[in-house]
């Protein structure tokens, strides 16, 4: 083993140790299904994708979920969409109505409390309905659902769960629920990221995360 | 994006855990790049790269901010290395008080230029890497621009101790907002910084083409509605803007905080209108650029600002560039809407990096637009009104059936009913065995039947006069310019859900569902209003006026062209029991005014009678007419509004309203070469071939009526060339007030000072309110008992038709000068005109009888070429002999006669018509 290889091994060990340290010190994110950085799941045995991940937590304390990996109840359905993350998204088909029982539930676990911002990557108006297909309700645990919406149609983009001062989330297991509010929409990713007082420090998801 | 990238994108991570963070980043740097800082080939004589370089980002396009902490010593150094440490890269060697840039390439380092300018360590130093360029910004300005000479992606390495570095990946921006909601600034993308921002909507709306509009109001401060993020840059912002009377309204960009932002705006100061760009920095306002220009109020404009790092900032109105300022600002920041000392309407906001106003000329637009408001409407079961509504809302007749024979077999199919000029694409998923594209000319002759690959998506397209199937050129001769294209099947048929996707720039659909920035309303009330008095919740786009309602397209349509107008009459009377004043039985009774569904095309955009004009039920529904300019070239007495018959609805006999009450009808206007055809539904009304040599090749279209209300649901236009041509509306002469004369409506009239105290009055557009007010008398009424005679220098040529409108002791009269006195329905005064938005409260205005003597008197002359003297006291005593006092309170020169379409400019007052006048004097 040459000197460079030895140094690399040492660095890898230290890298893991550093990662563990940060996760334990920061407002650490763990998913409810494990503590790996990246969970690859076979969400569709007919079309497995190595790039398709259930969740991924990032070293800055952010966590990105693929919406399709949650518990899905109708009218939410899985659809293929080459423009979506991993080529897949969840959809509330047009004319599904406003059945509030339909939801997608994404579980995660926080060892320590923290202040966060939540984002959803959305595609509004798959049926040309625009103003009638541009929102979804988001609920964290049993809190009052909050409507997230905007008016950027027919284009994948991130929409923020708006709460002044961020969302306080205590330590423990949690669930993000996406609740049907308007049909004709798609969502592929959900992004939870630490909130900071200085706006320049806040991470804004860009493109597919 | 890998974990190593995301990890280092947030510097807080580093600042919170500096030791671990730095170590971790060093590790990652080494692992990823497979190199060590000590191995970097540099010119050690210039400076030595420290061992603790950190990789900060690995993105093609980034924005960064460097903040020096209070503890950062002035003598300490900060290094940024951008690029490949082993290859081409730039190194930036900074300290808190000065900066020197070094570039390293091929193992040698050198300074590419002058030192970076001094920057204040108290302010963040910002930088961007984009398109192989790096720029540094300090205190709001660019201080260094340099080519990286390195291929992307970019690696940035830096020691992080003592400074805080934030790096954001920057993706192309795309954000739109049509404000279709009840609340703004809550649960959406906007934050209200100042002012009042709310949506304006109509009461009682079941459906409307555009039911919500953003309304901004602010008094003494810059009211701002802000969206976006601090790292936004390189985009075009646009918004539909409808300024009020005293506006300061526009767009905000490069917004950092309420004291640091830029604004591009329309503003009015001391009676003059401007477009301006202003930079606010630490509460100091600096005008970046400013230009005086007249812009009409109460009309929609598309106001846009183009903000890119490497280009001047450009401001445009309706696509016409009107202002620019040099490229030296730090333009990073949020974006938004602005209003100050004004109440302004906004709609259809768009921020985009990819669809800048001149960057998408080569892309083809999607054809086949359906109504957002009405295509999803539930069908009424009791009657068949929706069959006609869905025709325009869903394009239910866009694909007529046709059968062809190919290889001795019958193929059933459909063709798109509009022809394609120029480039187009016609895409089908094609899930059938035997499928044909069928190409025909306008005479119906089949030019090509092209089999498609079985069960494969296929695209038929034309580019540069050549036809292609799936990218392969088809062996045909040069096809004619106008082609009809259909899709045919040996088995099965074309269902509505499998209609091909068509793209073409020669077809334009207008459903009036966005703010009408593509139209210039010359006169009348053009808004979404109720069609029926009995069911006001159903709104449609309409033009209504007690005089003329005229709206021009800002686009021009050149060459061969087709226009289809889907219209309905507006229930302007609102009470079927009322029969209004009319010349005979027909035009004005039973809720509707059955006359004047008018359309002009090939016009100059300022005068409807400058091109060709079709009038359906014109001249009080005597016939339909075709005009060339102001010359009547054809009349069809058979085509006019028929006498209302008694219609049955729900099995009951209803009054004579249902010939119009539920119907939608369609006109089609065709121009091919010298031939002009007008069709009402499928019936040819006119087939006229122009014999004059100077037929215009193209021009604006106009939809209009006179003393009526017309619903325009949909207008489809097809032309060889469709161009936004708004210059004539953007660059209008200023001149609202000159020498005591003020335009009654500055959007209609332009005033210019002449020698010897004279004023030139010019009509901006044909017809309309060609009127000026003598303002000095408003506060100083003249006692006609003391000075009964008025002298006024006037030079009114033929073709200008105006009268004197006077108010004496609260009584309004008209004294004829050159305008006819017949069919005059109102005296102009300084009061407000009726608000036609509440048309059903004012239905009786459409039934007002024309003014009769003695309110209107005098014999109009063909022209006036000298000073006139009028004994006003005598005139008033003839009309009002019993009055005790005769105080002249208002003098207006203008026109309200409707005779022979004077309000539309047919019998006078064409666009550009002008006369001169002096200042009135009063003598004994």
């Amino acid at each position: 083993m040459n000197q460079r290889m030895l140094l690399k091994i040492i660095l890898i060990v230290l890298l893991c140790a550093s990662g563990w340290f940060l996760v334990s010190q920061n407002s650490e994110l763990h998913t409810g299904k494990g503590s790996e950085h990246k969970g690859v799941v076979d969400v569709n045995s007919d079309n497995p994708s190595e790039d398709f991940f259930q969740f991924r937590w990032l070293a800055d304390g952010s966590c990105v979920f693929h919406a399709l990996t949650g518990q899905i109840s109708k009218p939410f359905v899985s659809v293929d969409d080459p423009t979506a993350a991993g080529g897949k998204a969840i959809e509330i088909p047009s004319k599904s109505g406003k059945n509030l029982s339909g939801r997608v539930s994404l579980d995660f676990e926080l060892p320590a409390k923290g202040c966060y911002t939540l984002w959803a990557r959305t595609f509004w108006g798959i049926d040309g309905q625009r103003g009638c297909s541009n929102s979804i309700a988001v609920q964290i645990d049993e809190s009052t659902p909050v409507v997230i919406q905007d008016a950027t149609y027919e284009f994948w983009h991130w929409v923020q769960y708006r709460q002044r001062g961020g969302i306080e989330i205590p330590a423990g297991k949690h669930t993000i629920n996406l609740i049907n509010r308007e049909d004709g929409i798609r969502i592929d990713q959900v992004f939870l990221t630490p909130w900071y007082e200085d706006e320049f420090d806040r991470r804004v998801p860009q493109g597919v995360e | 994006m890998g974990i190593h990238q995301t990890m280092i994108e947030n510097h807080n991570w580093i600042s919170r855990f500096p030791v671990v963070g730095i170590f971790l980043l060093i590790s990652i740097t080494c692992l990823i790049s497979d190199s060590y800082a000590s191995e970097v080939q540099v010119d050690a004589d210039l400076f030595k790269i420290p061992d603790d370089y950190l990789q900060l980002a690995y993105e093609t396009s980034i924005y960064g901010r460097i903040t020096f902490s209070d503890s950062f010593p002035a003598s300490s150094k900060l290094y940024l290395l951008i690029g490949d440490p082993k290859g081409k890269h730039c190194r930036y060697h900074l300290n808190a008080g000065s900066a020197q840039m070094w570039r390293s390439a091929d193992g040698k380092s050198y300074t590419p230029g002058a030192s970076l300018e001094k920057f204040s360590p108290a302010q963040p130093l910002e930088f961007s890497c984009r398109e192989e360029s790096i720029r540094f910004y300090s205190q709001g300005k660019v201080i260094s621009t340099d080519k990286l000479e390195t291929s992307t992606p970019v690696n940035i390495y830096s020691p992080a101790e003592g400074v805080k570095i934030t790096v954001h990946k920057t993706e192309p921006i795309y954000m739109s907002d049509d404000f279709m909601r009840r609340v703004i600034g809550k649960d959406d993308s906007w934050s209200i910084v100042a002012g009042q921002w709310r949506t304006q909507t109509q009461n009682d709306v079941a459906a409307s083409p555009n039911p919500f509009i953003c309304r901004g109001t602010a008094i003494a401060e810059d009211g701002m509605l802000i969206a976006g993020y601090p790292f936004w840059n390189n985009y075009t912002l646009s918004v539909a803007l409808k300024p009020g009377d005293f506006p300061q309204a526009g767009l905000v960009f490069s917004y950092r905080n309420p004291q640091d932002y830029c604004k591009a705006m329309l503003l009015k100061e001391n009676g003059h209108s401007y477009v301006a760009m202003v930079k606010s920095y630490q509460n100091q306002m600096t005008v970046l650029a400013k230009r005086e220009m007249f812009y009409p109020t109460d009309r929609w404009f598309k106001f846009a600002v183009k903000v890119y790092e490497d280009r001047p900032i450009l401001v445009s109105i309706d696509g016409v560039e009107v202002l620019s300022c040099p490229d030296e600002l730090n333009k990073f920041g949020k974006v938004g809407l602005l209003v100050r000392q004004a109440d302004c309407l906004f709609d259809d906001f768009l921020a985009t990096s990819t669809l800048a106003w001149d960057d998408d000329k080569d892309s083809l637009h999607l054809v086949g637009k359906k109504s957002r408001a009405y295509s999803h409407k539930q069908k009424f079961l009791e009657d068949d009104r929706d069959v006609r509504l869905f025709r325009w809302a869903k394009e239910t007749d866009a694909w007529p059936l046709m059968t062809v024979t190919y290889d001795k077999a019958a193929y059933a199919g459909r063709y798109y009913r509009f022809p394609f000029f120029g480039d187009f694409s016609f895409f089908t998923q094609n899930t059938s065995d035997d499928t044909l594209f069928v190409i025909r000319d306008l005479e119906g002759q089949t030019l090509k039947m092209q089999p498609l690959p079985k069960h494969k998506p296929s695209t038929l397209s034309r580019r540069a006069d050549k036809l292609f199937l799936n990218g392969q050129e088809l062996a045909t001769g040069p096809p004619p310019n106008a082609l009809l294209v259909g899709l045919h099947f040996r088995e099965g048929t074309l269902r509505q859900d499998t209609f091909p996707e068509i793209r073409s720039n020669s077809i334009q659909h207008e459903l009036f569902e966005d703010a009408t920035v593509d139209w210039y309303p010359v006169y009348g009330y053009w808004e979404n209003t109720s069609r029926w008095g009995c069911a006001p919740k159903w709104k449609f786009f309409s033009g209504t006026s007690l005089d003329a309602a005229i709206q021009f397209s800002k686009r021009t349509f050149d060459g061969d062209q087709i226009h289809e107008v889907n219209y309905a009459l507006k229930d302007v009377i609102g009470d079927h029991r009322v029969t209004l004043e009319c010349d005979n039985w027909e035009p004005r009774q039973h809720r509707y005014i059955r006359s004047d569904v008018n359309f002009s095309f090939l016009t100059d955009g300022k005068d409807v009678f400058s091109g060709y004009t079709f009038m359906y039920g014109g001249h009080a529904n005597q016939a339909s007419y075709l005009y060339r300019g102001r010359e009547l070239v054809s009349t069809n007495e058979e085509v006019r509004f028929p006498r209302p018959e008694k219609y049955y609805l729900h099995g009951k006999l209803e009054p004579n309203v249902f010939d119009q009450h539920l119907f939608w009808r369609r006109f089609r206007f065709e121009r091919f070469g010298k031939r002009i055809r007008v069709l009402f539904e499928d019936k040819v009304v006119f087939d006229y071939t122009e014999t004059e040599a100077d037929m215009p090749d193209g021009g604006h279209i106009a939809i209009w009526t006179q003393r009526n209300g017309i619903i325009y649901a949909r207008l489809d236009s097809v032309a060889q060339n469709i161009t936004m041509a708004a210059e004539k509306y953007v660059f209008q002469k200023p001149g609202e007030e000159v020498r005591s004369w003020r335009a009654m409506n500055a959007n209609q009239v332009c005033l210019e000072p002449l020698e010897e105290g004279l004023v030139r009055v010019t009509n901006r557009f044909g017809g309309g309110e060609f009127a000026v007010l003598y303002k000095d008398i408003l506060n100083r009424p003249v006692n006609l008992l003391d000075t009964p005679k008025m002298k006024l220098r006037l030079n009114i040529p033929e073709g200008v038709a105006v009268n004197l409108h006077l108010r004496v002791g609260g009584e309004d009269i008209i004294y004829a000068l050159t305008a006819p006195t017949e069919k005059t329905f109102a005296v102009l005064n300084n009061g407000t005109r009726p608000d036609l938005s509440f048309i059903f409260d004012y239905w009786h205005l459409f039934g007002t009888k024309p003014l009769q003597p003695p309110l209107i008197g005098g014999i109009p002359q063909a022209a006036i070429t000298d000073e006139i003297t009028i004994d006003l006291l005598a005139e008033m005593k003839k009309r009002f002999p019993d009055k005790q006092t005769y105080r002249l309170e208002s003098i207006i020169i203008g026109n309200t006669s409707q005779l022979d379409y004077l309000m539309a400019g047919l019998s006078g007052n064409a666009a550009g018509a002008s006369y001169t006048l002096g200042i009135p004097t009063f003598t004994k």
Side-chain angles (χ1 to χ4, degrees):
Chain A
M1 184 180 296
N2 61 28
Q3 188 178 2
R4 176 175 294 190
M5 184 61 73
L6 181 62
L7 185 55
K8 279 190 175 182
I9 291 171
I10 295 169
L11 287 172
I12 289 170
V13 171
L14 290 170
L15 176 67
C16 295
S18 302
W20 174 85
F21 175 79
L22 286 168
V23 169
S24 62
Q25 291 299 312
N26 203 352
S27 46
E28 297 84 355
L29 272 170
H30 296 278
T31 71
K33 297 178 181 176
S35 58
E36 294 183 19
H37 294 218
K38 183 176 179 181
V40 178
V41 294
D42 182 7
V43 295
N44 184 342
S45 58
D46 296 333
N47 187 19
S49 167
E50 289 186 359
D51 295 331
F52 202 89
F53 56 87
Q54 178 184 19
F55 58 85
R56 184 176 62 197
W57 69 266
L58 310 174
D60 65 356
S62 303
C63 187
V64 57
F65 304 83
H66 199 294
L68 190 50
T69 62
Q71 292 181 343
I72 300 172
S73 59
K74 286 189 175 180
F76 287 95
V77 294
S78 162
V79 292
D80 290 331
D81 182 343
T83 64
K88 285 185 173 295
I90 57 165
E91 175 181 302
I92 305 175
S94 180
K95 298 180 181 174
S96 298
K98 299 182 177 182
N99 177 7
L100 293 174
S101 63
R103 63 183 58 202
V104 174
S105 300
L106 299 159
D107 298 330
F108 65 100
E109 182 178 349
L110 279 182
K113 73 172 184 179
C115 194
Y116 289 88
T117 306
L118 184 71
W119 300 76
R121 189 166 182 264
T122 64
F123 189 100
W124 305 136
I126 59 173
D127 52 1
Q129 282 274 282
R130 295 166 67 93
C132 293
S133 300
N134 68 339
S135 71
I136 194 166
V138 179
Q139 180 189 41
I140 299 175
D141 300 326
E142 298 303 317
S143 64
T144 303
V146 170
V147 174
I148 65 167
Q149 65 176 339
D150 68 1
T152 298
Y153 304 106
E154 299 167 12
F155 192 85
W156 280 109
H157 65 289
W158 288 96
V159 186
Q160 190 176 2
Y161 177 113
R162 291 169 70 85
Q163 182 159 321
R164 192 179 294 274
I167 313 162
E168 289 283 354
I169 305 179
K173 292 183 177 179
H174 301 281
T175 302
I176 299 169
N177 293 307
L178 308 176
I179 303 171
N180 178 21
R181 187 172 182 272
E182 289 182 318
D183 55 27
I185 67 164
R186 285 181 183 171
I187 292 178
D188 63 354
Q189 290 187 316
V190 174
F191 195 78
L192 193 64
T193 186
W195 183 89
Y196 298 105
E197 187 67 37
D198 186 347
E199 188 179 11
F200 277 85
D201 295 341
R202 292 177 213 154
R203 176 160 173 172
V204 178
Q206 301 275 292
V208 173
E209 289 288 353
Chain B
M1 186 165 61
I3 189 169
H4 63 283
Q5 299 139 17
T6 57
M7 179 186 304
I8 55 181
E9 280 179 359
N10 192 310
H11 70 90
N12 279 277
W13 207 84
I14 297 168
S15 59
R16 288 184 183 190
F17 311 102
V19 177
V20 176
I22 290 167
F23 188 80
L24 181 56
L25 291 174
I26 294 169
S27 306
I28 292 167
T29 301
C30 297
L31 289 169
I32 301 302
S33 64
D34 196 27
S35 68
Y36 303 100
S38 59
E39 294 179 357
V40 174
Q41 299 297 309
V42 296
D43 185 345
D45 293 338
L46 290 173
F47 67 89
K48 184 180 179 183
I49 293 183
D51 294 336
D52 55 352
Y53 261 80
L54 310 178
Q55 182 177 354
L56 291 176
Y58 190 79
E59 303 292 349
T60 57
S61 182
I62 59 169
Y63 157 81
R65 192 174 77 147
I66 304 168
T67 307
F68 297 93
S69 66
D70 294 339
S71 60
F72 188 72
S75 58
S76 296
K77 293 172 183 173
L78 165 67
Y79 303 91
L80 283 177
L81 187 150
I82 298 170
D84 182 0
K86 296 167 65 177
K88 287 184 178 179
H89 59 258
C90 284
R91 294 198 302 273
Y92 294 89
H93 175 192
L94 313 163
N95 66 24
S98 64
Q100 176 70 47
M101 182 170 67
W102 306 86
R103 173 182 289 149
S104 175
D106 300 326
K108 295 181 179 178
S109 297
Y110 53 94
T111 54
S115 298
L116 289 173
E117 292 185 12
K118 297 268 187 183
F119 61 90
S120 168
Q123 300 287 327
L125 182 68
E126 294 165 76
F127 63 94
S128 72
C129 295
R130 179 179 156 269
E131 296 178 350
E132 299 185 10
S133 292
I134 182 167
R135 292 174 181 80
F136 281 90
Y137 301 91
S138 179
Q139 294 180 290
K141 289 188 176 179
V142 179
I143 59 170
S144 170
T145 301
D146 191 28
K147 281 286 179 190
L148 286 173
E149 294 183 5
T150 179
S151 58
T152 55
V154 174
N155 297 281
I156 295 182
Y157 300 86
S158 171
E161 289 182 277
V163 295
K164 173 178 162 183
I165 302 177
T166 310
V167 178
H168 288 277
K169 179 171 72 169
T170 52
E171 293 266 315
I173 294 164
Y174 185 84
M175 174 191 168
S176 66
D177 200 341
D178 54 8
F179 302 104
M180 289 287 181
R181 55 191 178 276
R182 297 204 173 271
V183 179
I184 292 175
K186 183 184 178 188
D187 299 333
D188 60 13
S189 308
W190 299 94
S191 298
I192 296 173
V193 172
Q196 290 186 329
W197 296 88
R198 58 198 187 281
T199 43
Q200 171 177 297
T201 187
Q202 301 153 311
N203 293 325
D204 194 12
V205 176
S208 171
N210 189 5
F212 293 98
I213 293 168
C214 174
R215 182 168 208 146
T217 308
I219 307 299
E221 58 186 350
D222 280 355
M224 289 185 281
L225 185 67
I226 298 297
Y229 301 97
F231 54 85
W232 271 20
N233 204 339
N234 304 299
Y235 51 76
T236 299
L237 302 180
S238 66
V239 71
L241 182 68
K242 190 175 184 181
D245 279 343
F246 301 100
Q248 192 176 123
L251 290 161
V252 177
F253 57 99
S254 306
Y255 176 91
R256 303 302 191 88
N257 56 57
Q259 290 79 42
D260 184 0
Y261 56 90
C262 292
K263 55 183 179 179
M265 59 184 173
L266 302 173
L267 78 153
K268 194 171 274 190
E269 290 175 341
N270 304 321
H272 295 267
S273 303
Y274 302 90
V275 58
M277 268 190 285
V278 172
K279 166 82 176 168
S280 169
Y281 186 66
Q282 296 178 348
N283 279 333
Q284 296 292 316
M285 294 284 183
T286 306
V287 176
L288 302 172
K290 190 175 182 180
R291 173 180 184 174
E292 182 172 5
M293 60 183 298
F294 172 78
Y295 53 88
T297 51
D298 295 326
R299 277 135 177 84
W300 286 107
F301 298 100
K302 187 175 183 181
F303 190 73
V305 58
K306 201 170 186 177
V307 181
Y308 285 84
E309 282 187 276
D310 50 353
R311 302 182 205 171
I313 304 169
L314 298 175
V315 176
S316 75
I317 297 175
D318 292 333
V320 181
E321 290 180 4
V322 295
L323 202 64
S324 67
C325 84
D327 168 41
E328 59 177 16
L329 297 176
N330 179 356
K331 301 164 197 160
F332 282 95
K334 299 183 184 182
V335 301
L337 308 179
L338 168 89
V339 65
R340 181 177 181 136
Q341 294 177 331
D343 189 17
C344 187
L345 300 179
F346 299 84
D347 205 355
D348 303 323
F349 174 84
L350 179 65
T352 174
S353 300
T354 55
L355 299 172
W357 67 64
D358 57 358
D359 291 341
D360 63 341
K361 288 177 180 170
D362 294 333
S363 64
L364 297 175
H365 302 154
L366 201 59
V367 169
K369 197 173 175 184
K370 295 177 176 53
S371 166
R372 293 196 299 264
Y374 285 97
S375 62
H376 299 273
K377 179 183 176 300
Q378 294 289 314
K379 189 176 184 302
F380 276 107
L381 299 177
E382 294 87 354
D383 55 62
D384 62 352
R385 71 185 70 178
D386 289 326
V387 172
R388 296 169 182 85
L389 184 144
F390 288 147
R391 184 174 70 166
W392 61 260
K394 294 184 175 182
E395 279 203 302
T396 52
D397 68 341
W399 295 87
L401 289 164
M402 195 181 73
T403 301
V404 297
T405 301
Y406 177 76
D407 198 18
K408 298 179 181 178
Y411 282 70
R414 296 174 182 269
Y415 66 97
Y416 193 60
R417 66 192 181 90
F418 288 122
F420 298 100
F421 294 104
D423 295 351
F424 69 87
S425 72
F426 202 94
F427 169 79
T428 177
Q429 290 287 351
N430 185 32
T431 56
S432 302
D433 282 332
D434 298 308
T435 313
L436 295 176
F437 276 134
V438 176
I439 304 167
R440 296 185 301 142
D441 63 17
L442 284 182
E443 277 67 47
Q445 184 176 351
T446 301
L447 304 174
K448 181 79 175 174
M449 287 192 278
Q450 177 63 46
L452 273 59
K454 298 178 189 296
H455 298 277
K456 286 185 178 175
S458 288
T459 301
L460 177 72
S461 60
R462 174 161 67 181
R463 293 275 177 176
D465 291 333
K466 291 179 180 174
L467 288 171
F468 298 87
L469 179 67
N470 298 328
Q472 298 293 314
E473 185 176 347
L474 292 177
T476 61
N481 199 11
L483 293 177
L484 291 165
V485 181
L487 193 63
H488 296 255
F489 305 88
R490 188 165 181 176
E491 293 178 356
T493 187
L494 189 61
R495 299 191 315 273
Q496 188 157 2
D497 57 349
T498 58
F499 284 161
E501 177 187 291
I502 302 172
R503 291 183 180 275
S504 168
N505 289 346
S506 65
I507 299 177
Q508 185 93 30
H509 303 297
E510 177 61 88
L511 287 109
F512 304 102
E513 294 184 309
D514 299 320
T516 52
V517 293
D518 289 348
W519 295 85
Y520 191 91
V522 167
Y523 205 63
Y525 183 76
W526 291 90
E527 291 291 345
N528 295 314
T529 56
S530 305
R531 177 180 174 183
W532 300 288
C534 56
K537 61 185 180 180
W538 302 104
K539 314 283 191 203
F540 302 91
F541 185 71
S542 66
T544 310
S545 178
L546 294 166
D547 300 314
I550 299 170
Q551 178 168 263
F552 283 100
S553 67
K554 291 177 185 172
R555 296 181 191 276
T556 54
F557 301 87
D558 300 328
D560 294 341
Q561 53 195 274
I562 298 170
H563 306 279
E564 284 194 356
V565 180
N566 293 268
Y567 81 94
L569 291 190
K570 184 174 166 61
D571 180 10
V572 291
I573 299 173
D575 187 338
H576 64 75
R577 294 164 301 187
V578 174
T579 297
L580 300 180
E581 176 67 24
C582 54
D583 297 338
N584 50 43
W585 66 267
E586 291 170 294
R588 298 171 184 275
Q589 60 185 9
H590 305 309
R591 303 178 74 155
Y592 297 99
I593 297 173
R594 294 167 175 79
S595 69
D596 286 305
V597 181
N598 304 335
F599 182 82
S600 298
F601 54 109
L602 304 179
T603 76
D604 64 2
K606 292 193 166 188
D607 196 322
V608 290
F609 290 102
S610 61
Y612 291 83
T613 294
F614 168 77
M615 293 178 179
Y616 175 58
H619 294 283
N621 196 30
Q622 294 180 59
S624 288
Y625 302 90
L626 183 67
Y627 282 82
R628 177 188 187 276
R630 286 175 168 74
E631 177 189 359
L632 180 63
V633 294
S634 193
T635 303
N636 188 333
E637 295 182 353
E638 293 180 0
V639 178
R640 56 176 176 157
F641 285 93
R643 175 187 289 271
E645 299 295 336
K646 295 198 180 296
Y647 280 79
Y648 287 85
L649 185 68
H650 307 171
K652 291 195 304 183
L653 185 65
E654 291 290 329
N656 298 335
V657 298
F658 288 102
D659 61 323
Q660 302 299 325
H661 203 56
L662 304 177
F663 282 74
W664 296 95
R665 292 193 169 89
R666 177 191 284 167
F667 280 105
R668 180 178 171 111
F669 306 91
E670 296 178 352
R671 177 264 172 98
F672 285 93
K674 293 268 187 179
R675 187 182 182 190
I676 287 174
R677 291 205 313 162
V678 180
L679 293 89
F680 177 62
E681 298 295 350
D682 294 327
K683 181 177 181 180
V684 176
V685 182
F686 293 112
D687 190 343
Y688 171 75
T689 300
E690 183 55 75
T691 56
E692 300 288 333
D694 60 344
M695 183 180 190
D697 186 54
H700 301 261
I701 60 174
I703 46 179
W704 65 280
T705 188
Q706 178 163 298
R707 202 163 173 77
N708 199 357
I710 310 290
I711 304 279
Y712 295 96
R714 182 186 186 106
L715 203 163
D716 297 310
S717 295
V718 187
Q720 283 182 275
N721 195 17
I722 302 175
T723 311
M724 191 67 172
E727 286 84 355
K728 61 175 62 70
Y729 307 114
V730 172
F731 297 118
Q732 297 189 48
K733 277 186 180 177
E736 301 170 35
E737 192 172 311
V738 172
R739 288 182 184 145
S740 301
W741 289 100
R742 180 195 300 159
M744 284 282 285
N745 183 344
N747 299 341
Q748 297 291 131
V749 177
C750 171
L751 300 177
E752 298 169 273
L754 299 175
E755 293 179 350
E756 301 176 3
L758 293 173
V759 175
R760 183 188 303 282
V761 182
T762 304
N763 206 20
R764 294 183 190 272
F765 298 94
E769 192 175 80
F770 187 22
V772 290
L773 162 78
Y774 181 59
K775 65 172 188 173
D776 283 3
I777 205 167
L778 297 178
N779 297 323
R780 293 198 299 269
V782 175
N783 187 345
L784 295 180
L785 293 173
D786 296 336
T787 52
K789 293 180 180 175
M790 181 180 80
K791 286 185 178 179
L792 180 63
R793 292 166 67 193
L794 273 175
N795 189 341
I796 306 177
E798 287 191 29
V800 174
V802 289
N803 289 333
L804 263 178
H805 297 240
L806 306 169
R807 171 168 282 187
V808 179
E811 305 288 351
D812 294 322
I813 69 159
I814 293 178
Y815 181 87
L817 295 175
T818 57
T821 55
E822 302 96 318
K823 290 193 176 181
T824 299
F825 293 92
V827 182
L828 293 167
N829 59 48
N830 201 31
T832 55
R833 305 301 297 274
D835 180 359
L836 295 183
S837 62
F838 302 101
I839 195 73
F840 297 107
D841 296 335
Y842 288 91
W843 61 264
H844 58 279
L845 293 171
F846 286 93
T848 307
K849 292 182 179 179
L851 300 177
Q852 301 293 326
L855 288 178
I856 184 164
I859 299 171
Q861 303 171 51
I864 296 174
T865 56
D866 204 353
E867 183 178 82
I868 60 168
T869 302
I870 308 169
D871 189 338
L872 292 179
L873 183 62
E875 291 292 332
M876 290 307 296
K877 281 190 172 179
K878 276 196 286 186
R879 293 165 170 82
F880 305 103
D882 300 330
K883 289 184 79 71
Q884 299 298 313
T885 59
Y886 294 90
R887 288 163 62 85
L888 179 60
E889 296 158 345
S890 170
I891 301 173
I892 291 170
I893 299 176
N895 166 61
T896 51
S897 172
Q898 310 268 342
L899 184 67
D900 199 14
Y901 293 95
L902 180 54
M903 290 305 291
L906 175 60
S907 51
N909 297 349
S914 70
Y915 66 97
T916 59
L917 79 169
I919 303 298
T921 58
F922 297 89
T923 59
K924 291 191 176 181

